[in-house]
Amino acid sequence: MLPFAIVSLLVTVSQGCGRHSGDPDTAVESSYGSLWPLPQEVRFSSLSLKIRGSSFQIWDADESSAGPSCSLLKNAYRRYYEYMFPNERTKGHTNGFADPSELSQLHVWITSSDSECDGYPVVTSDESYELSVNQTYAVLKAPKVWGALRGLETFSQLLYEDEYGARNINLTEISDFPRFQHRGVLLDTSRHFLPIKVILANLEAMAMNKFNVFHWHIVDDPSFPYLSRTFPQLSQMGAYHPYTHVYTPADVKMIIEFARLRGIRVVPEFDTPGHTQSWGKGQKDLLTPCYSGPTPSGTFGPVNPILNTTYDFMNLLFKEISAVFPDPYVHLGGDEVDFKCWKSNPDITKFMEQHSFGEDYSKLESFYIQKLLDIVTSTQKGYMIWQEVFDNGVKLKPDTLIHVWKGNQQQYQNEMAKITLSGYKTFLSTPWYLNRISYGQDWTSLYRADPHNFTGTDEQKKLVIGGEACMWGEYVDSTNLMPRMWPRASAVGERLWSAKDVTDVNDAYSRLSKHRCRMVERGIQAQSLFSSFCRHEYKGI
Amino acid sequence: MASCTICLPALMMLVLDLNTVESVWPLPQKLAISEERYPLSPTHFNFYYGEDQASIMTDCSLLDSAFTRYFPLIFPDLTSGNGVLPSTEEKAFSLVVTMNQKDCDGYPNEGSSERYQLNVSAGQAVLNSDTVWGALRGLETFSQLVQQDEDGTYFINKTEIEDFPSFQYRGILLDTSRHFLPLKAILNTLDAMAYSKFNVFHWHIVDDPSFPYQSRTFPDLSSKGAYHPMSHIYTQSDVRRVLTHARLRGIRVIPEFDSPGHTQSWGKGQPNLLTPCYKGSSPSGKFGPINPASALSYTFMSQFLKEVTSVFPDPYLHLGGDEVNFSCWQSNPDVRAFMQKMGFGRDYTKLESFYMENIVNITSNLNKTSIVWQDVFDYHERIPKDTILHIWKGLPAQYKAEMSRMTKAGHRVLLGAPWYINHIAYGQDWRISYNVQPLNFPGTEEQKKLVIGGEVSMWGEYVDATNLSPRLWPRACAAAERLWSDESQTRSAEAAFPRLQAFRCSLLRRGVRAEPLSPGHCRDEYRGI
């Protein structure tokens, strides 16, 4: 065993991105190379090994509980081999004898008896792993396949090119696990339809940044692209186009499997009672008719909470959703309900009187949400909701996850304190609305936000399960999604994965510049942090 | 087909929306579209030269290749099989092109007429122009007039157009120094420029961070100054490819070799060019702007600009001259001695002026017109009258005052300040670009005539091939219309909005990764990732 020490790794060339004259703060070379997000514990040796595509192989360790039938891992081995050796043409084979200056094998060892190879990742999934790069071979140990996926990504990030283009890896010991369990990215496929290809590319980039939740804000006011088997008219009438701008059951299935293979959960959001204009096109009498004086105005408001038919519809729809999406959670929205239309409607006014709600329409909203939660509970799903539902005092199950999105820093920190004080679990998005753009390096403010920065006890902090980067779709579609998302979301990725004290922006800049070049090399349209170059630039247009 | 009872209403609404929109961007000066429409069929469509033109136009390869290019733009579904449904009304349709001047082989320049007339009637459209450049603009307009109905059948409305640009110079600046832009990204930008009737590609080719231009005379400039000497450079043949691609689209290419500042990358391959900075009495190891006190600098610049002017055919050359930091010059004893010798006192603006005057003279001896950034004028009013001044600084009040001063001094002016669209913001910031009024500054009619046009700048600090297209398009289209169209007819961004949305969708269909303006969709979404 070689003595390991934390030493400066002088990666002199590799992925470039070194020149940013006139910006001395960013001219720092990180001793952690291009690792992103930074693992919890890293020990490098200065001793490096060659690693060649022609001889390198990834194996299941003999002791591993995941055998040759674990296609999730097999897929991952191939994927990471191709990431590491994109131009390799010679067939992989071992030459039988061990060259001490070369690393030829990575053994992947799933240590617990149930590898979870054929399961879906869930919020409690174990993503920890240990990686040790020794002379001649490396070992990746993880209790579950989910940790192995994270470890493979880390392993691929240890490779660097020398000035001759040869690949090297230093002897390394890594012990790693995520700081937060819920590390999500939200895509909005209602304001603009996102072709499958873009969603898949985004999932790939998420895996490169160790995100594990794809929050699919699938429908909203502008369009309803989800093709429901139970209510096909919802997308037939509510999608931008009934054939070209919809997600069929097969599409959804493919996305879920693609995500699973990368250890990513797919949590769909069917936001009600507001944000449902597009639902009304295909589902008669679902939305509240708004009134102008004594007559209907022809416009519609939120879901009509006073009709039994509304709940019959929701019951069937959520039954379908709970079958289509395997994740134990579904996001129910509940944000930004505009009471104006409800107020204008005489039937609702009468209903309010009958139920003694007075003038308090948030009570009506609570009434609706309460019934919806009962419906969803009956499908054996847990739920996430936007913070307003909590703010309005709706009775929630104790395992409800509350999604914080509003306010300035002070406000969202107070909200987190309030929610956790009430004993609920929560996750944060307010500082991570990536659709909001501004000139310059705004990733630094994303990077500095921390979900634990609020006043509360340790017990309260434990109730924070993570956060989500949100890319709302008003101004985003397949033309600009990827460069707007990456590497800005990477900043959020590190905040949610790495240790709390990983906050050095200069060190992060150095690693993130290289990480973004690596994403570009892997075909991800990740934009640049500042004047610089990548050895392999994006080749598309 | 039964299911179409459901989908038809939605589709028809979409098509009707498109139909009610005057779909040409930028808006022609005079446009009359009538209700009457004629079907077009790709199999019965032809481009012709006017009868009296046939002999003189036999070898106009520029227009021939434009026809080849525009055919699939006019009939985008040709390959997918849609839209070629035989129509009972099917008749042959031809676009007949006539030009008053027959020159097909030259490059466009500041005097090139882009005026054209287009009359669309039954079975025939007649496109008339002074020059081949006007014909290109007319072809673009024609391609935008052709639409598809709900069955996919192509049609065009009876139309009369008389069109010409409000400003002769309508440019886009790309910065290939802060990030290297692969050739493909530049060529794609040129395509999109032609669709929006831009006519100048201002190539800010080198700057502090890197020197990607591969010089014949001084190959070390790129081999030492580029980000990478092999992969991050523009070879001479790359440059020729850009020039050709641009010429075929009626676009001028004006290179910028910015000096004396913004030249850090030059120093790597050209020793003794930059000023050594001093710390106290000894050199600090750092370098400042080009050394204006050394005769070698001027010798180098003459040789280098001689090459540049032979490579780039445009009569204009952008010489930069912006943001010169004087602290390094001040620290250098040789420069200080030179100041004394020249009687400049402590006024380093005089030293910069001295340098720029020399460079402008070198350029005019090479028979080129100089463009310089406004700094040069701000420091020094005694620059040759034919030098074009490029305004880039300040808020509207400031740039308007600057325009007054410059035009009063008799200089031609180019407006860049309001169109720095590398600066991004959340929401529909194109409206700000659209509302710019380039001639709204205090001055006489004569002064206004000196405003030759404007330019959209996409500086490269945060822009490379991954995000260039969606940042540029359709945001740059706002300036394109402002510079081409009649301001009095295009005052309202609100009125322009649906037309711009339709244009953005056609950019997508043509393979330009133009970002969305608001929630909504295009029939053909962007297909790449």
Side-chain angles (χ1 to χ4, degrees):
Chain A
M1 199 66 187
L2 276 157
F4 280 95
I6 299 172
V7 292
S8 272
L9 239 196
L10 292 172
V11 186
T12 43
V13 272
S14 77
Q15 291 96 340
C17 300
R19 290 176 212 188
H20 17 255
S21 56
D23 207 347
D25 280 342
T26 57
V28 177
E29 190 75 25
S30 172
S31 52
Y32 295 106
S34 65
L35 286 173
W36 193 279
L38 195 66
Q40 300 285 345
E41 269 179 57
V42 186
R43 286 179 301 155
F44 282 129
S45 152
S46 56
L47 195 67
S48 75
L49 303 171
K50 293 272 174 257
I51 175 165
R52 293 182 300 138
S54 57
S55 59
F56 183 76
Q57 288 196 318
I58 306 176
W59 295 95
D60 293 319
D62 293 341
E63 309 89 329
S64 179
S65 63
S69 64
C70 181
S71 67
L72 178 144
L73 282 184
K74 291 289 173 287
N75 263 305
Y77 298 166
R78 183 186 56 195
R79 188 163 69 246
Y80 280 99
Y81 180 86
E82 283 171 0
Y83 284 158
M84 292 186 284
F85 309 105
N87 302 314
E88 190 56 49
R89 283 185 191 84
T90 39
K91 209 173 140 196
H93 63 90
T94 38
N95 53 13
F97 63 93
D99 176 350
S101 69
E102 184 176 332
L103 184 76
S104 59
Q105 288 180 26
L106 171 63
H107 292 194
V108 178
W109 178 2
I110 307 300
T111 56
S112 76
S113 56
D114 178 10
S115 69
E116 294 181 8
C117 181
D118 299 315
Y120 287 93
V122 293
V123 68
T124 52
S125 290
D126 189 338
E127 293 173 288
S128 68
Y129 66 92
E130 279 173 32
L131 177 62
S132 120
V133 180
N134 305 302
Q135 260 159 329
T136 71
Y137 73 98
V139 180
L140 170 60
K141 271 169 43 173
K144 307 286 180 189
V145 288
W146 317 118
L149 290 172
R150 305 294 168 245
L152 281 167
E153 175 60 39
T154 302
F155 180 82
S156 74
Q157 296 187 1
L158 292 173
L159 270 63
Y160 59 95
E161 263 178 36
D162 65 21
E163 61 257 59
Y164 306 106
R167 274 152 207 265
N168 293 269
I169 188 166
N170 284 51
L171 299 199
T172 308
E173 295 280 336
I174 287 176
S175 170
D176 200 13
F177 56 88
R179 179 176 167 215
F180 291 105
Q181 287 295 337
H182 183 109
R183 304 178 309 280
V185 170
L186 176 149
L187 293 185
D188 169 2
T189 56
S190 172
R191 290 179 176 82
H192 284 98
F193 179 80
L194 297 173
I196 309 285
K197 221 158 106 174
V198 184
I199 295 177
L200 300 185
N202 194 60
L203 287 167
E204 288 191 310
M206 283 172 66
M208 295 170 199
N209 291 276
K210 297 190 170 71
F211 277 100
N212 67 352
V213 179
F214 167 34
H215 174 169
W216 193 351
H217 188 86
I218 190 165
V219 299
D220 202 303
D221 283 330
S223 77
F224 197 103
Y226 173 75
L227 201 161
S228 160
R229 282 176 292 208
T230 324
F231 301 103
Q233 70 275 19
L234 286 170
S235 62
Q236 192 75 22
M237 307 298 286
Y240 280 132
H241 188 285
Y243 298 109
T244 59
H245 289 61
V246 293
Y247 302 105
T248 65
D251 293 337
V252 172
K253 219 171 154 179
M254 193 240 278
I255 285 167
I256 292 170
E257 178 62 7
F258 194 91
R260 186 188 80 85
L261 290 175
R262 286 155 184 79
I264 297 170
R265 304 161 53 200
V266 178
V267 177
E269 176 181 352
F270 285 84
D271 190 356
T272 66
H275 289 279
T276 47
Q277 289 295 305
S278 69
W279 302 44
K281 293 182 184 159
Q283 188 63 22
K284 226 173 127 266
D285 298 332
L286 178 65
L287 303 187
T288 311
C290 313
Y291 277 65
S292 183
T295 49
S297 69
T299 61
F300 293 88
V303 165
N304 193 337
I306 66 168
L307 300 180
N308 286 335
T309 50
T310 294
Y311 301 101
D312 297 340
F313 166 81
M314 290 295 172
N315 195 13
L316 288 173
L317 181 68
F318 278 96
K319 215 171 240 168
E320 171 183 328
I321 290 164
S322 68
V324 169
F325 293 91
D327 199 85
Y329 281 89
V330 56
H331 202 301
L332 299 177
D335 59 318
E336 299 185 306
V337 183
D338 185 357
F339 296 146
K340 269 203 309 269
C341 183
W342 280 351
K343 281 181 190 165
S344 78
N345 183 302
D347 297 333
I348 291 193
T349 311
K350 212 158 85 197
F351 187 87
M352 294 280 288
E353 278 163 25
Q354 283 165 2
H355 287 75
S356 322
F357 291 162
E359 293 283 293
D360 188 354
Y361 284 84
S362 70
K363 286 193 175 139
L364 182 60
E365 185 190 352
S366 296
F367 172 86
Y368 168 81
I369 298 272
Q370 197 63 61
K371 295 193 75 151
L372 181 68
L373 297 187
D374 289 343
I375 287 170
V376 174
T377 306
S378 76
T379 67
Q380 313 298 319
K381 294 279 184 187
Y383 41 79
M384 311 178 183
I385 38 100
W386 295 106
Q387 68 177 83
E388 284 104 313
V389 181
F390 168 81
D391 296 345
N392 290 346
V394 177
K395 195 174 127 248
L396 299 165
K397 279 196 302 179
D399 65 341
T400 302
L401 307 178
I402 297 164
H403 194 167
V404 173
W405 69 279
K406 289 200 329 185
N408 59 29
Q409 187 179 343
Q410 191 58 53
Q411 288 163 328
Y412 77 70
Q413 289 177 352
N414 290 345
E415 181 81 4
M416 303 280 283
K418 219 168 87 189
I419 292 169
T420 51
L421 198 62
S422 313
Y424 287 107
K425 288 186 176 165
T426 183
F427 58 105
L428 179 65
S429 275
T430 310
W432 295 319
Y433 266 37
L434 300 191
N435 51 309
R436 301 231 153 237
I437 51 168
S438 60
Y439 186 65
Q441 297 203 34
D442 62 353
W443 70 273
T444 56
S445 62
L446 306 172
Y447 190 70
R448 287 189 177 103
D450 191 305
H452 275 168
N453 279 355
F454 63 88
T455 316
T457 63
D458 286 351
E459 285 310 303
Q460 277 176 272
K461 302 286 165 88
K462 278 185 195 146
L463 293 170
V464 179
I465 61 163
E468 274 184 15
C470 298
M471 186 61 82
W472 295 101
E474 282 86 347
Y475 302 107
V476 175
D477 70 2
S478 58
T479 63
N480 58 356
L481 171 72
M482 293 302 281
R484 207 165 270 209
M485 181 79 85
W486 308 104
R488 292 165 73 227
S490 306
V492 184
E494 175 150 301
R495 181 55 52 241
L496 294 173
W497 178 280
S498 304
K500 188 178 169 64
D501 61 359
V502 178
T503 52
D504 182 340
V505 172
N506 294 331
D507 186 81
Y509 179 89
S510 165
R511 286 182 291 116
L512 188 53
S513 297
K514 291 174 188 141
H515 179 53
R516 101 93 186 174
C517 284
R518 178 169 48 227
M519 287 195 275
V520 168
E521 202 171 336
R522 293 177 182 184
I524 302 297
Q525 246 169 25
Q527 70 183 11
S528 174
L529 296 173
F530 194 60
S531 305
S532 64
F533 78 110
C534 299
R535 185 62 193 83
H536 305 280
E537 300 286 0
Y538 179 68
K539 293 193 179 70
I541 43 169
Chain B
M1 288 308 282
S3 57
C4 264
T5 48
I6 302 168
C7 66
L8 255 181
L11 277 176
M12 273 171 68
M13 264 180 55
L14 168 79
V15 173
L16 285 176
D17 277 345
L18 288 175
N19 286 356
T20 49
V21 169
E22 285 169 346
S23 56
V24 184
W25 190 280
L27 192 69
Q29 301 277 348
K30 282 186 195 163
L31 169 71
I33 299 184
S34 80
E35 297 274 306
E36 200 176 328
R37 56 161 82 164
Y38 317 112
L40 296 184
S41 158
T43 51
H44 291 76
F45 178 88
N46 274 298
F47 297 101
Y48 289 115
Y49 293 112
E51 267 179 35
D52 53 328
Q53 307 265 306
S55 57
I56 54 170
M57 300 313 301
T58 43
D59 55 350
C60 186
S61 65
L62 185 138
L63 267 192
D64 289 342
S65 67
F67 295 157
T68 317
R69 206 164 60 237
Y70 274 102
F71 187 82
L73 298 181
I74 294 167
F75 303 108
D77 283 345
L78 193 59
T79 48
S80 69
N82 287 332
V84 289
L85 306 168
S87 153
T88 48
E89 290 178 86
E90 189 174 279
K91 277 181 201 156
F93 194 98
S94 44
L95 174 58
V96 182
V97 181
T98 33
M99 290 176 298
N100 301 332
Q101 295 166 23
K102 60 172 187 173
D103 183 14
C104 260
D105 300 323
Y107 285 88
N109 60 44
E110 80 268 38
S112 299
S113 163
E114 293 171 289
R115 174 184 290 274
Y116 69 93
Q117 285 173 315
L118 179 64
N119 287 309
V120 181
S121 52
Q124 177 174 274
V126 177
L127 171 60
N128 218 319
S129 66
D130 290 337
T131 67
V132 67
W133 317 117
L136 288 174
R137 302 297 167 245
L139 268 176
E140 175 56 40
T141 300
F142 179 82
S143 75
Q144 294 188 21
L145 290 171
V146 177
Q147 300 181 50
Q148 275 178 287
D149 67 16
E150 55 270 33
D151 298 326
T153 306
Y154 297 100
F155 67 90
I156 188 165
N157 286 62
K158 183 175 167 60
T159 306
E160 283 184 34
I161 289 177
E162 208 181 310
D163 202 10
F164 54 89
S166 288
F167 294 95
Q168 46 127 318
Y169 187 116
R170 306 176 306 283
I172 286 198
L173 175 150
L174 293 185
D175 169 3
T176 56
S177 172
R178 290 181 175 82
H179 284 96
F180 178 79
L181 296 173
L183 208 56
K184 223 157 109 173
I186 295 176
L187 302 183
N188 186 254
T189 303
L190 290 169
D191 291 348
M193 284 172 68
Y195 303 149
S196 337
K197 297 191 171 72
F198 278 104
N199 69 348
V200 179
F201 168 36
H202 172 173
W203 195 349
H204 188 86
I205 190 165
V206 299
D207 202 303
D208 283 330
S210 77
F211 196 104
Y213 172 75
Q214 192 176 52
S215 161
R216 301 191 287 231
T217 326
F218 302 99
D220 275 355
L221 288 170
S222 65
S223 69
K224 302 209 166 121
Y227 279 133
H228 190 285
M230 302 303 292
S231 59
H232 288 59
I233 53 164
Y234 302 106
T235 64
Q236 290 293 319
S237 77
D238 290 340
V239 172
R240 274 197 301 276
R241 185 131 174 244
V242 169
L243 293 170
T244 307
H245 198 89
R247 186 186 84 87
L248 289 175
R249 286 153 185 80
I251 297 170
R252 303 162 59 190
V253 179
I254 300 178
E256 176 180 353
F257 287 89
D258 191 354
S259 72
H262 288 279
T263 47
Q264 289 295 305
S265 69
W266 303 42
K268 294 181 181 158
Q270 187 61 23
N272 304 322
L273 178 64
L274 304 187
T275 311
C277 312
Y278 276 65
K279 205 173 174 173
S281 57
S282 51
S284 71
K286 292 199 168 149
F287 294 89
I290 285 179
N291 191 343
S294 159
L296 290 174
S297 298
Y298 302 101
T299 317
F300 166 79
M301 287 305 285
S302 311
Q303 279 180 280
F304 182 66
L305 292 182
K306 193 171 174 195
E307 170 186 326
V308 166
T309 52
S310 70
V311 170
F312 293 90
D314 200 87
Y316 290 3
L317 176 63
H318 205 303
L319 298 174
D322 60 318
E323 298 186 305
V324 181
N325 186 337
F326 296 145
S327 61
C328 182
W329 280 350
Q330 277 163 355
S331 77
N332 182 299
D334 298 335
V335 174
R336 284 203 303 269
F338 185 77
M339 292 280 289
Q340 212 164 20
K341 187 179 129 202
M342 300 299 290
F344 291 160
R346 283 164 182 276
D347 186 354
Y348 283 83
T349 65
K350 287 194 173 135
L351 181 59
E352 191 201 342
S353 301
F354 170 83
Y355 172 84
M356 285 311 292
E357 208 173 315
N358 274 288
I359 301 301
V360 168
N361 286 338
I362 290 169
T363 306
S364 49
N365 288 337
L366 293 162
N367 295 316
K368 299 280 180 178
T369 301
S370 303
I371 309 180
V372 295
W373 296 106
Q374 70 178 90
D375 313 42
V376 178
F377 172 81
D378 295 347
Y379 287 149
H380 182 55
E381 306 214 356
R382 203 170 52 84
I383 41 180
K385 277 278 186 295
D386 70 335
T387 305
I388 296 166
L389 305 172
H390 193 164
I391 297 177
W392 67 278
K393 285 204 270 198
L395 299 167
Q398 293 156 317
Y399 72 70
K400 283 174 187 177
E402 182 85 353
M403 289 176 94
S404 289
R405 282 193 296 274
M406 289 171 169
T407 51
K408 203 166 179 183
H411 282 287
R412 282 173 294 171
V413 165
L414 185 57
L415 183 61
W419 290 310
Y420 263 39
I421 67 171
N422 54 310
H423 290 136
I424 51 169
Y426 184 68
Q428 295 201 24
D429 60 353
W430 69 272
R431 288 167 190 263
I432 300 164
S433 296
Y434 195 78
N435 290 332
V436 173
Q437 298 173 296
L439 296 184
N440 183 13
F441 63 88
T444 62
E445 281 309 303
E446 286 309 302
Q447 277 177 266
K448 307 280 163 106
K449 280 185 193 148
L450 290 170
V451 179
I452 61 169
E455 201 170 274
V456 170
S457 303
M458 185 56 82
W459 295 100
E461 282 87 347
Y462 304 104
V463 176
D464 70 3
T466 63
N467 59 359
L468 171 70
S469 291
R471 262 181 207 207
L472 194 51
W473 310 108
R475 293 167 72 228
C477 299
E481 177 145 302
R482 181 55 54 243
L483 293 168
W484 177 280
S485 306
D486 178 5
E487 198 180 298
S488 65
Q489 295 178 55
T490 52
R491 288 233 163 87
S492 160
E494 204 46 51
F497 183 50
R499 195 160 41 86
L500 184 55
Q501 280 190 303
F503 183 61
R504 180 256 166 179
C505 286
S506 65
L507 286 176
L508 279 192
R509 205 168 53 233
R510 294 173 174 200
V512 178
R513 195 157 49 109
E515 70 180 15
L517 295 157
S518 71
H521 81 293
C522 295
R523 196 197 70 173
D524 300 297
E525 300 287 359
Y526 180 69
R527 290 197 184 87
I529 47 162

